[in-house]
Amino acid sequence: TFAIVAGVAHGLYYTWIWIVMDGYTYRDVFPGAECFQKGYDKHCHTKFVNLLGIINGVGFVILGCTALWWVRRHYFNVFYYVHIVLAIALLFGLVMHYNKMIWFIAPSLLSYVASNVPVAFESLYKWSKGGVGISKVVCIPDSRGCVELTIATTTRNDYSGEEARGGCEQQQRQRAIGKYVRLTVPEISPKSHPFTAFCDPRHPQDVKILFRPIGAFTRQLSKRLESLVTSPELTPSELTVSNDTRQCPKMLVNGVSTSSDLLGQAMKHDIIVIVAGGVGIVPYISLLAALRDIDVERQFNNDGEQSHIQKTRHIHVHWVSRDEGLVRYIVENYFSLHRHGANDSNSAIKISVHHTNEQTSSMSSSSNNDESDTLTEYVIPPETARSLASPTSLYEESKRSLLHNVLPASVFASIVFGGLWIVSYCYENIQDKH
């Protein structure tokens, strides 16, 4: 917004100087037919600079208009492709308008390249391995099309023993809080789409996505995944045979990124109130599990004596949903863990589910629920899923150790500083200063 306003103000300022102070006419400012011939003089060069400034200003205004929320919401493809085309055109237009502009553009441009090019090459490698491993697909009945994906990871650790394994799982649960992934399904769309990621407290090594089909991409993805659960079960030999309708589509996930520090914010308060609606409960599944883990850990010190140093004491969750199937699935698979382990924690976790659709049947199990649950699952053998690429990335945000950050930091610095050297060389030795 600031760049658009500043660019338009810059153009209006010079327009006022030309018309009011200098008394220029159209032919004094913009190039005529003589300027489009070979060997034009320096006056034509100035006119071309003015023309490019006007074109860039119009481009900025179009960029701002297509970035409005209403346009993004209703005409996303217009927003997407206009920004791609104009961003490239404005890059060249600004540099030709003012040659030193490259020094203002280069840092952010090189930072973008350094952040995305390594990930793009990593995506090609994952594509060659068959994409990420989808170990389970669940189409939740009576939920208006909600689908849960389980992405298998190939995590390795040096923990041994029951206590060490428990500590590793606790760290993995905490890493899943406030995370999101960018999912790409080339069969449906070449663009990546962000989804909130969480983990099952019982299987924290895997990444889960739960979504409801709303837009064009999620509707097509839901329909494609629904065809898996309605197809007959695949035999191990059939899993290795290409079959577009009976195999999970190839998917790519380039790292697990951080959206917010939910755990750090929650630990600053002794009473936490969480209000969520529908699939908006997903980010808090991992948060509740991590808070319970921390409470259990703080309850006892190293000598086995009870410790009274504890910040969070009461957690109130209010979840509003009209979908009976989604409520049943979340309560039975995730919220039931907090009821079973309530005595192990000092903090009281109270979960209130507000089912707002009065037209559906009661929440009690019906006679055909078991059959429905069986028909809505598509499971791939773990060894098959884990043989594919991992959703984690070498270049994702990491706080694991300094050693894990050496490679991404080195690659990033090499691209940025190497790019700045190339820009400096071209500016001094190649670019025409006329």
Side-chain angles (χ1 to χ4, degrees), residues 204-238:
Q205 71 278 8
D206 293 335
V207 177
K208 287 180 174 285
I209 300 172
L210 195 155
F211 67 93
R212 173 181 287 116
I214 297 295
F217 175 78
T218 51
R219 284 197 297 266
Q220 293 182 56
L221 179 60
S222 174
K223 184 178 179 180
R224 177 68 174 85
L225 296 176
E226 187 178 346
S227 67
L228 298 175
V229 301
T230 56
S231 300
E233 184 178 356
L234 296 178
T235 63
S237 60
E238 289 175 323

PDB file of all heavy atoms in Angstrom, residues 204-238:
ATOM      1  N   PRO A 204       2.658 -38.584  17.223  1.00  0.00           N
ATOM      2  CA  PRO A 204       3.130 -37.211  16.939  1.00  0.00           C
ATOM      3  C   PRO A 204       4.141 -37.114  15.816  1.00  0.00           C
ATOM      4  O   PRO A 204       4.459 -36.016  15.373  1.00  0.00           O
ATOM      5  CB  PRO A 204       3.754 -36.785  18.276  1.00  0.00           C
ATOM      6  CG  PRO A 204       4.185 -38.069  18.912  1.00  0.00           C
ATOM      7  CD  PRO A 204       3.163 -39.097  18.510  1.00  0.00           C
ATOM      8  N   GLN A 205       4.649 -38.260  15.337  1.00  0.00           N
ATOM      9  CA  GLN A 205       5.654 -38.190  14.283  1.00  0.00           C
ATOM     10  C   GLN A 205       5.045 -37.886  12.923  1.00  0.00           C
ATOM     11  O   GLN A 205       5.757 -37.500  11.989  1.00  0.00           O
ATOM     12  CB  GLN A 205       6.453 -39.506  14.212  1.00  0.00           C
ATOM     13  CG  GLN A 205       5.674 -40.697  13.664  1.00  0.00           C
ATOM     14  CD  GLN A 205       4.797 -41.369  14.707  1.00  0.00           C
ATOM     15  OE1 GLN A 205       4.652 -40.863  15.820  1.00  0.00           O
ATOM     16  NE2 GLN A 205       4.236 -42.516  14.360  1.00  0.00           N
ATOM     17  N   ASP A 206       3.728 -38.047  12.783  1.00  0.00           N
ATOM     18  CA  ASP A 206       3.069 -37.798  11.507  1.00  0.00           C
ATOM     19  C   ASP A 206       2.359 -36.445  11.522  1.00  0.00           C
ATOM     20  O   ASP A 206       1.972 -35.936  12.568  1.00  0.00           O
ATOM     21  CB  ASP A 206       2.053 -38.903  11.195  1.00  0.00           C
ATOM     22  CG  ASP A 206       2.728 -40.241  10.944  1.00  0.00           C
ATOM     23  OD1 ASP A 206       3.911 -40.227  10.541  1.00  0.00           O
ATOM     24  OD2 ASP A 206       2.092 -41.286  11.174  1.00  0.00           O
ATOM     25  N   VAL A 207       2.181 -35.874  10.328  1.00  0.00           N
ATOM     26  CA  VAL A 207       1.522 -34.581  10.160  1.00  0.00           C
ATOM     27  C   VAL A 207       0.121 -34.813   9.613  1.00  0.00           C
ATOM     28  O   VAL A 207      -0.067 -35.619   8.689  1.00  0.00           O
ATOM     29  CB  VAL A 207       2.326 -33.673   9.208  1.00  0.00           C
ATOM     30  CG1 VAL A 207       1.601 -32.353   8.975  1.00  0.00           C
ATOM     31  CG2 VAL A 207       3.721 -33.418   9.758  1.00  0.00           C
ATOM     32  N   LYS A 208      -0.858 -34.111  10.178  1.00  0.00           N
ATOM     33  CA  LYS A 208      -2.240 -34.275   9.745  1.00  0.00           C
ATOM     34  C   LYS A 208      -2.797 -32.948   9.225  1.00  0.00           C
ATOM     35  O   LYS A 208      -2.410 -31.872   9.691  1.00  0.00           O
ATOM     36  CB  LYS A 208      -3.119 -34.793  10.893  1.00  0.00           C
ATOM     37  CG  LYS A 208      -2.896 -36.264  11.234  1.00  0.00           C
ATOM     38  CD  LYS A 208      -3.791 -36.688  12.373  1.00  0.00           C
ATOM     39  CE  LYS A 208      -3.683 -38.183  12.629  1.00  0.00           C
ATOM     40  NZ  LYS A 208      -4.381 -38.986  11.610  1.00  0.00           N
ATOM     41  N   ILE A 209      -3.703 -33.061   8.270  1.00  0.00           N
ATOM     42  CA  ILE A 209      -4.443 -31.922   7.718  1.00  0.00           C
ATOM     43  C   ILE A 209      -5.912 -32.280   7.728  1.00  0.00           C
ATOM     44  O   ILE A 209      -6.303 -33.373   7.287  1.00  0.00           O
ATOM     45  CB  ILE A 209      -4.002 -31.605   6.270  1.00  0.00           C
ATOM     46  CG1 ILE A 209      -2.521 -31.253   6.208  1.00  0.00           C
ATOM     47  CG2 ILE A 209      -4.839 -30.475   5.689  1.00  0.00           C
ATOM     48  CD1 ILE A 209      -1.998 -31.134   4.789  1.00  0.00           C
ATOM     49  N   LEU A 210      -6.741 -31.386   8.239  1.00  0.00           N
ATOM     50  CA  LEU A 210      -8.194 -31.598   8.219  1.00  0.00           C
ATOM     51  C   LEU A 210      -8.827 -30.361   7.604  1.00  0.00           C
ATOM     52  O   LEU A 210      -8.617 -29.244   8.087  1.00  0.00           O
ATOM     53  CB  LEU A 210      -8.714 -31.848   9.635  1.00  0.00           C
ATOM     54  CG  LEU A 210     -10.125 -32.442   9.749  1.00  0.00           C
ATOM     55  CD1 LEU A 210     -10.284 -33.200  11.060  1.00  0.00           C
ATOM     56  CD2 LEU A 210     -11.212 -31.387   9.641  1.00  0.00           C
ATOM     57  N   PHE A 211      -9.596 -30.554   6.544  1.00  0.00           N
ATOM     58  CA  PHE A 211     -10.178 -29.411   5.848  1.00  0.00           C
ATOM     59  C   PHE A 211     -11.604 -29.719   5.401  1.00  0.00           C
ATOM     60  O   PHE A 211     -11.997 -30.882   5.286  1.00  0.00           O
ATOM     61  CB  PHE A 211      -9.331 -29.032   4.626  1.00  0.00           C
ATOM     62  CG  PHE A 211      -9.336 -30.061   3.522  1.00  0.00           C
ATOM     63  CD1 PHE A 211     -10.241 -29.979   2.475  1.00  0.00           C
ATOM     64  CD2 PHE A 211      -8.424 -31.113   3.521  1.00  0.00           C
ATOM     65  CE1 PHE A 211     -10.259 -30.929   1.460  1.00  0.00           C
ATOM     66  CE2 PHE A 211      -8.427 -32.058   2.512  1.00  0.00           C
ATOM     67  CZ  PHE A 211      -9.347 -31.968   1.481  1.00  0.00           C
ATOM     68  N   ARG A 212     -12.353 -28.643   5.165  1.00  0.00           N
ATOM     69  CA  ARG A 212     -13.689 -28.750   4.585  1.00  0.00           C
ATOM     70  C   ARG A 212     -13.648 -28.150   3.179  1.00  0.00           C
ATOM     71  O   ARG A 212     -13.067 -27.079   2.983  1.00  0.00           O
ATOM     72  CB  ARG A 212     -14.725 -28.002   5.431  1.00  0.00           C
ATOM     73  CG  ARG A 212     -16.102 -27.945   4.762  1.00  0.00           C
ATOM     74  CD  ARG A 212     -17.121 -27.199   5.579  1.00  0.00           C
ATOM     75  NE  ARG A 212     -17.543 -27.976   6.730  1.00  0.00           N
ATOM     76  CZ  ARG A 212     -17.345 -27.633   7.997  1.00  0.00           C
ATOM     77  NH1 ARG A 212     -16.722 -26.500   8.272  1.00  0.00           N
ATOM     78  NH2 ARG A 212     -17.761 -28.391   8.975  1.00  0.00           N
ATOM     79  N   PRO A 213     -14.214 -28.801   2.175  1.00  0.00           N
ATOM     80  CA  PRO A 213     -14.190 -28.256   0.810  1.00  0.00           C
ATOM     81  C   PRO A 213     -15.003 -26.976   0.691  1.00  0.00           C
ATOM     82  O   PRO A 213     -16.218 -26.988   0.891  1.00  0.00           O
ATOM     83  CB  PRO A 213     -14.785 -29.386  -0.041  1.00  0.00           C
ATOM     84  CG  PRO A 213     -15.581 -30.221   0.919  1.00  0.00           C
ATOM     85  CD  PRO A 213     -14.885 -30.120   2.238  1.00  0.00           C
ATOM     86  N   ILE A 214     -14.317 -25.880   0.398  1.00  0.00           N
ATOM     87  CA  ILE A 214     -14.969 -24.578   0.253  1.00  0.00           C
ATOM     88  C   ILE A 214     -14.727 -24.015  -1.149  1.00  0.00           C
ATOM     89  O   ILE A 214     -15.655 -23.739  -1.890  1.00  0.00           O
ATOM     90  CB  ILE A 214     -14.457 -23.588   1.321  1.00  0.00           C
ATOM     91  CG1 ILE A 214     -14.811 -24.095   2.714  1.00  0.00           C
ATOM     92  CG2 ILE A 214     -15.055 -22.203   1.083  1.00  0.00           C
ATOM     93  CD1 ILE A 214     -16.277 -24.165   3.003  1.00  0.00           C
ATOM     94  N   GLY A 215     -13.437 -23.839  -1.496  1.00  0.00           N
ATOM     95  CA  GLY A 215     -13.094 -23.290  -2.803  1.00  0.00           C
ATOM     96  C   GLY A 215     -12.980 -24.364  -3.859  1.00  0.00           C
ATOM     97  O   GLY A 215     -13.225 -25.557  -3.634  1.00  0.00           O
ATOM     98  N   ALA A 216     -12.559 -23.934  -5.057  1.00  0.00           N
ATOM     99  CA  ALA A 216     -12.460 -24.866  -6.187  1.00  0.00           C
ATOM    100  C   ALA A 216     -11.418 -25.950  -5.922  1.00  0.00           C
ATOM    101  O   ALA A 216     -11.645 -27.133  -6.215  1.00  0.00           O
ATOM    102  CB  ALA A 216     -12.103 -24.083  -7.457  1.00  0.00           C
ATOM    103  N   PHE A 217     -10.265 -25.561  -5.347  1.00  0.00           N
ATOM    104  CA  PHE A 217      -9.202 -26.543  -5.115  1.00  0.00           C
ATOM    105  C   PHE A 217      -9.625 -27.592  -4.097  1.00  0.00           C
ATOM    106  O   PHE A 217      -9.470 -28.799  -4.324  1.00  0.00           O
ATOM    107  CB  PHE A 217      -7.930 -25.827  -4.651  1.00  0.00           C
ATOM    108  CG  PHE A 217      -6.821 -26.766  -4.272  1.00  0.00           C
ATOM    109  CD1 PHE A 217      -6.047 -27.382  -5.243  1.00  0.00           C
ATOM    110  CD2 PHE A 217      -6.551 -27.034  -2.937  1.00  0.00           C
ATOM    111  CE1 PHE A 217      -5.033 -28.256  -4.898  1.00  0.00           C
ATOM    112  CE2 PHE A 217      -5.531 -27.896  -2.583  1.00  0.00           C
ATOM    113  CZ  PHE A 217      -4.769 -28.508  -3.565  1.00  0.00           C
ATOM    114  N   THR A 218     -10.142 -27.162  -2.949  1.00  0.00           N
ATOM    115  CA  THR A 218     -10.511 -28.125  -1.910  1.00  0.00           C
ATOM    116  C   THR A 218     -11.686 -28.995  -2.338  1.00  0.00           C
ATOM    117  O   THR A 218     -11.772 -30.164  -1.937  1.00  0.00           O
ATOM    118  CB  THR A 218     -10.845 -27.389  -0.602  1.00  0.00           C
ATOM    119  OG1 THR A 218     -11.793 -26.344  -0.855  1.00  0.00           O
ATOM    120  CG2 THR A 218      -9.589 -26.778   0.006  1.00  0.00           C
ATOM    121  N   ARG A 219     -12.588 -28.447  -3.151  1.00  0.00           N
ATOM    122  CA  ARG A 219     -13.704 -29.275  -3.633  1.00  0.00           C
ATOM    123  C   ARG A 219     -13.195 -30.380  -4.552  1.00  0.00           C
ATOM    124  O   ARG A 219     -13.628 -31.535  -4.440  1.00  0.00           O
ATOM    125  CB  ARG A 219     -14.729 -28.412  -4.365  1.00  0.00           C
ATOM    126  CG  ARG A 219     -15.618 -27.581  -3.444  1.00  0.00           C
ATOM    127  CD  ARG A 219     -16.859 -27.085  -4.180  1.00  0.00           C
ATOM    128  NE  ARG A 219     -16.498 -26.188  -5.273  1.00  0.00           N
ATOM    129  CZ  ARG A 219     -16.444 -24.862  -5.160  1.00  0.00           C
ATOM    130  NH1 ARG A 219     -16.724 -24.289  -4.003  1.00  0.00           N
ATOM    131  NH2 ARG A 219     -16.131 -24.109  -6.197  1.00  0.00           N
ATOM    132  N   GLN A 220     -12.281 -30.043  -5.464  1.00  0.00           N
ATOM    133  CA  GLN A 220     -11.736 -31.060  -6.363  1.00  0.00           C
ATOM    134  C   GLN A 220     -10.890 -32.074  -5.600  1.00  0.00           C
ATOM    135  O   GLN A 220     -10.934 -33.275  -5.880  1.00  0.00           O
ATOM    136  CB  GLN A 220     -10.891 -30.394  -7.450  1.00  0.00           C
ATOM    137  CG  GLN A 220     -11.692 -29.525  -8.413  1.00  0.00           C
ATOM    138  CD  GLN A 220     -10.813 -28.923  -9.486  1.00  0.00           C
ATOM    139  OE1 GLN A 220     -10.117 -29.621 -10.216  1.00  0.00           O
ATOM    140  NE2 GLN A 220     -10.839 -27.602  -9.594  1.00  0.00           N
ATOM    141  N   LEU A 221     -10.113 -31.589  -4.619  1.00  0.00           N
ATOM    142  CA  LEU A 221      -9.291 -32.507  -3.829  1.00  0.00           C
ATOM    143  C   LEU A 221     -10.167 -33.448  -3.009  1.00  0.00           C
ATOM    144  O   LEU A 221      -9.902 -34.658  -2.931  1.00  0.00           O
ATOM    145  CB  LEU A 221      -8.359 -31.710  -2.923  1.00  0.00           C
ATOM    146  CG  LEU A 221      -7.440 -32.532  -2.001  1.00  0.00           C
ATOM    147  CD1 LEU A 221      -6.537 -33.434  -2.818  1.00  0.00           C
ATOM    148  CD2 LEU A 221      -6.619 -31.614  -1.108  1.00  0.00           C
ATOM    149  N   SER A 222     -11.230 -32.912  -2.414  1.00  0.00           N
ATOM    150  CA  SER A 222     -12.130 -33.754  -1.631  1.00  0.00           C
ATOM    151  C   SER A 222     -12.795 -34.812  -2.505  1.00  0.00           C
ATOM    152  O   SER A 222     -12.905 -35.982  -2.109  1.00  0.00           O
ATOM    153  CB  SER A 222     -13.186 -32.870  -0.957  1.00  0.00           C
ATOM    154  OG  SER A 222     -14.154 -33.655  -0.293  1.00  0.00           O
ATOM    155  N   LYS A 223     -13.221 -34.418  -3.691  1.00  0.00           N
ATOM    156  CA  LYS A 223     -13.851 -35.372  -4.601  1.00  0.00           C
ATOM    157  C   LYS A 223     -12.876 -36.452  -5.035  1.00  0.00           C
ATOM    158  O   LYS A 223     -13.234 -37.632  -5.120  1.00  0.00           O
ATOM    159  CB  LYS A 223     -14.391 -34.623  -5.825  1.00  0.00           C
ATOM    160  CG  LYS A 223     -15.150 -35.490  -6.808  1.00  0.00           C
ATOM    161  CD  LYS A 223     -15.694 -34.665  -7.965  1.00  0.00           C
ATOM    162  CE  LYS A 223     -16.439 -35.541  -8.965  1.00  0.00           C
ATOM    163  NZ  LYS A 223     -16.968 -34.736 -10.106  1.00  0.00           N
ATOM    164  N   ARG A 224     -11.622 -36.039  -5.281  1.00  0.00           N
ATOM    165  CA  ARG A 224     -10.605 -37.023  -5.698  1.00  0.00           C
ATOM    166  C   ARG A 224     -10.299 -37.997  -4.572  1.00  0.00           C
ATOM    167  O   ARG A 224     -10.155 -39.211  -4.811  1.00  0.00           O
ATOM    168  CB  ARG A 224      -9.333 -36.267  -6.109  1.00  0.00           C
ATOM    169  CG  ARG A 224      -8.172 -37.173  -6.505  1.00  0.00           C
ATOM    170  CD  ARG A 224      -8.466 -37.914  -7.792  1.00  0.00           C
ATOM    171  NE  ARG A 224      -7.315 -38.670  -8.231  1.00  0.00           N
ATOM    172  CZ  ARG A 224      -7.021 -39.890  -7.807  1.00  0.00           C
ATOM    173  NH1 ARG A 224      -7.817 -40.500  -6.948  1.00  0.00           N
ATOM    174  NH2 ARG A 224      -5.948 -40.516  -8.256  1.00  0.00           N
ATOM    175  N   LEU A 225     -10.199 -37.521  -3.350  1.00  0.00           N
ATOM    176  CA  LEU A 225      -9.900 -38.401  -2.221  1.00  0.00           C
ATOM    177  C   LEU A 225     -11.093 -39.268  -1.864  1.00  0.00           C
ATOM    178  O   LEU A 225     -10.925 -40.402  -1.398  1.00  0.00           O
ATOM    179  CB  LEU A 225      -9.472 -37.561  -1.012  1.00  0.00           C
ATOM    180  CG  LEU A 225      -8.173 -36.777  -1.186  1.00  0.00           C
ATOM    181  CD1 LEU A 225      -7.905 -35.913   0.036  1.00  0.00           C
ATOM    182  CD2 LEU A 225      -6.995 -37.704  -1.447  1.00  0.00           C
ATOM    183  N   GLU A 226     -12.293 -38.757  -2.074  1.00  0.00           N
ATOM    184  CA  GLU A 226     -13.486 -39.559  -1.810  1.00  0.00           C
ATOM    185  C   GLU A 226     -13.555 -40.765  -2.734  1.00  0.00           C
ATOM    186  O   GLU A 226     -14.075 -41.814  -2.360  1.00  0.00           O
ATOM    187  CB  GLU A 226     -14.729 -38.686  -1.974  1.00  0.00           C
ATOM    188  CG  GLU A 226     -16.019 -39.374  -1.557  1.00  0.00           C
ATOM    189  CD  GLU A 226     -17.215 -38.460  -1.685  1.00  0.00           C
ATOM    190  OE1 GLU A 226     -17.014 -37.239  -1.836  1.00  0.00           O
ATOM    191  OE2 GLU A 226     -18.349 -38.971  -1.629  1.00  0.00           O
ATOM    192  N   SER A 227     -13.003 -40.624  -3.949  1.00  0.00           N
ATOM    193  CA  SER A 227     -12.994 -41.767  -4.869  1.00  0.00           C
ATOM    194  C   SER A 227     -12.102 -42.888  -4.362  1.00  0.00           C
ATOM    195  O   SER A 227     -12.277 -44.039  -4.753  1.00  0.00           O
ATOM    196  CB  SER A 227     -12.524 -41.308  -6.253  1.00  0.00           C
ATOM    197  OG  SER A 227     -11.163 -40.909  -6.223  1.00  0.00           O
ATOM    198  N   LEU A 228     -11.141 -42.558  -3.486  1.00  0.00           N
ATOM    199  CA  LEU A 228     -10.269 -43.590  -2.933  1.00  0.00           C
ATOM    200  C   LEU A 228     -11.010 -44.462  -1.937  1.00  0.00           C
ATOM    201  O   LEU A 228     -10.874 -45.688  -1.948  1.00  0.00           O
ATOM    202  CB  LEU A 228      -9.057 -42.949  -2.250  1.00  0.00           C
ATOM    203  CG  LEU A 228      -8.116 -42.112  -3.117  1.00  0.00           C
ATOM    204  CD1 LEU A 228      -7.047 -41.463  -2.256  1.00  0.00           C
ATOM    205  CD2 LEU A 228      -7.472 -42.957  -4.207  1.00  0.00           C
ATOM    206  N   VAL A 229     -11.763 -43.823  -1.046  1.00  0.00           N
ATOM    207  CA  VAL A 229     -12.418 -44.585   0.012  1.00  0.00           C
ATOM    208  C   VAL A 229     -13.612 -45.373  -0.499  1.00  0.00           C
ATOM    209  O   VAL A 229     -14.076 -46.307   0.158  1.00  0.00           O
ATOM    210  CB  VAL A 229     -12.861 -43.640   1.157  1.00  0.00           C
ATOM    211  CG1 VAL A 229     -11.681 -42.915   1.736  1.00  0.00           C
ATOM    212  CG2 VAL A 229     -13.897 -42.646   0.665  1.00  0.00           C
ATOM    213  N   THR A 230     -14.156 -45.007  -1.655  1.00  0.00           N
ATOM    214  CA  THR A 230     -15.280 -45.753  -2.220  1.00  0.00           C
ATOM    215  C   THR A 230     -14.819 -46.860  -3.156  1.00  0.00           C
ATOM    216  O   THR A 230     -15.632 -47.666  -3.597  1.00  0.00           O
ATOM    217  CB  THR A 230     -16.226 -44.810  -2.990  1.00  0.00           C
ATOM    218  OG1 THR A 230     -15.476 -44.106  -3.996  1.00  0.00           O
ATOM    219  CG2 THR A 230     -16.854 -43.803  -2.053  1.00  0.00           C
ATOM    220  N   SER A 231     -13.492 -46.911  -3.468  1.00  0.00           N
ATOM    221  CA  SER A 231     -12.966 -47.967  -4.329  1.00  0.00           C
ATOM    222  C   SER A 231     -12.657 -49.196  -3.491  1.00  0.00           C
ATOM    223  O   SER A 231     -12.436 -49.107  -2.288  1.00  0.00           O
ATOM    224  CB  SER A 231     -11.690 -47.498  -5.042  1.00  0.00           C
ATOM    225  OG  SER A 231     -11.964 -46.369  -5.844  1.00  0.00           O
ATOM    226  N   PRO A 232     -12.627 -50.367  -4.104  1.00  0.00           N
ATOM    227  CA  PRO A 232     -12.254 -51.575  -3.360  1.00  0.00           C
ATOM    228  C   PRO A 232     -10.844 -51.453  -2.802  1.00  0.00           C
ATOM    229  O   PRO A 232     -10.015 -50.717  -3.313  1.00  0.00           O
ATOM    230  CB  PRO A 232     -12.333 -52.676  -4.432  1.00  0.00           C
ATOM    231  CG  PRO A 232     -13.205 -52.115  -5.505  1.00  0.00           C
ATOM    232  CD  PRO A 232     -12.982 -50.641  -5.500  1.00  0.00           C
ATOM    233  N   GLU A 233     -10.585 -52.190  -1.728  1.00  0.00           N
ATOM    234  CA  GLU A 233      -9.269 -52.125  -1.079  1.00  0.00           C
ATOM    235  C   GLU A 233      -8.188 -52.644  -2.014  1.00  0.00           C
ATOM    236  O   GLU A 233      -8.345 -53.667  -2.680  1.00  0.00           O
ATOM    237  CB  GLU A 233      -9.297 -52.952   0.207  1.00  0.00           C
ATOM    238  CG  GLU A 233      -8.005 -52.869   0.998  1.00  0.00           C
ATOM    239  CD  GLU A 233      -8.090 -53.657   2.281  1.00  0.00           C
ATOM    240  OE1 GLU A 233      -9.173 -54.189   2.576  1.00  0.00           O
ATOM    241  OE2 GLU A 233      -7.059 -53.761   2.978  1.00  0.00           O
ATOM    242  N   LEU A 234      -7.059 -51.942  -2.052  1.00  0.00           N
ATOM    243  CA  LEU A 234      -5.959 -52.327  -2.923  1.00  0.00           C
ATOM    244  C   LEU A 234      -5.124 -53.417  -2.265  1.00  0.00           C
ATOM    245  O   LEU A 234      -4.884 -53.388  -1.054  1.00  0.00           O
ATOM    246  CB  LEU A 234      -5.072 -51.114  -3.208  1.00  0.00           C
ATOM    247  CG  LEU A 234      -5.709 -49.954  -3.983  1.00  0.00           C
ATOM    248  CD1 LEU A 234      -4.705 -48.827  -4.126  1.00  0.00           C
ATOM    249  CD2 LEU A 234      -6.186 -50.398  -5.330  1.00  0.00           C
ATOM    250  N   THR A 235      -4.666 -54.334  -3.081  1.00  0.00           N
ATOM    251  CA  THR A 235      -3.727 -55.337  -2.598  1.00  0.00           C
ATOM    252  C   THR A 235      -2.317 -54.764  -2.655  1.00  0.00           C
ATOM    253  O   THR A 235      -2.068 -53.778  -3.355  1.00  0.00           O
ATOM    254  CB  THR A 235      -3.797 -56.597  -3.477  1.00  0.00           C
ATOM    255  OG1 THR A 235      -3.396 -56.242  -4.817  1.00  0.00           O
ATOM    256  CG2 THR A 235      -5.215 -57.149  -3.511  1.00  0.00           C
ATOM    257  N   PRO A 236      -1.346 -55.327  -1.909  1.00  0.00           N
ATOM    258  CA  PRO A 236       0.020 -54.799  -1.939  1.00  0.00           C
ATOM    259  C   PRO A 236       0.609 -54.719  -3.337  1.00  0.00           C
ATOM    260  O   PRO A 236       1.337 -53.789  -3.662  1.00  0.00           O
ATOM    261  CB  PRO A 236       0.787 -55.783  -1.049  1.00  0.00           C
ATOM    262  CG  PRO A 236      -0.257 -56.315  -0.109  1.00  0.00           C
ATOM    263  CD  PRO A 236      -1.522 -56.392  -0.927  1.00  0.00           C
ATOM    264  N   SER A 237       0.283 -55.689  -4.215  1.00  0.00           N
ATOM    265  CA  SER A 237       0.824 -55.640  -5.569  1.00  0.00           C
ATOM    266  C   SER A 237       0.217 -54.504  -6.378  1.00  0.00           C
ATOM    267  O   SER A 237       0.872 -53.894  -7.215  1.00  0.00           O
ATOM    268  CB  SER A 237       0.574 -56.977  -6.273  1.00  0.00           C
ATOM    269  OG  SER A 237      -0.822 -57.235  -6.350  1.00  0.00           O
ATOM    270  N   GLU A 238      -1.058 -54.194  -6.121  1.00  0.00           N
ATOM    271  CA  GLU A 238      -1.718 -53.126  -6.855  1.00  0.00           C
ATOM    272  C   GLU A 238      -1.223 -51.750  -6.442  1.00  0.00           C
ATOM    273  O   GLU A 238      -1.345 -50.793  -7.206  1.00  0.00           O
ATOM    274  CB  GLU A 238      -3.235 -53.198  -6.646  1.00  0.00           C
ATOM    275  CG  GLU A 238      -3.896 -54.379  -7.334  1.00  0.00           C
ATOM    276  CD  GLU A 238      -5.366 -54.465  -6.987  1.00  0.00           C
ATOM    277  OE1 GLU A 238      -5.721 -54.177  -5.832  1.00  0.00           O
ATOM    278  OE2 GLU A 238      -6.159 -54.832  -7.879  1.00  0.00           O
TER     279      GLU A 238
END
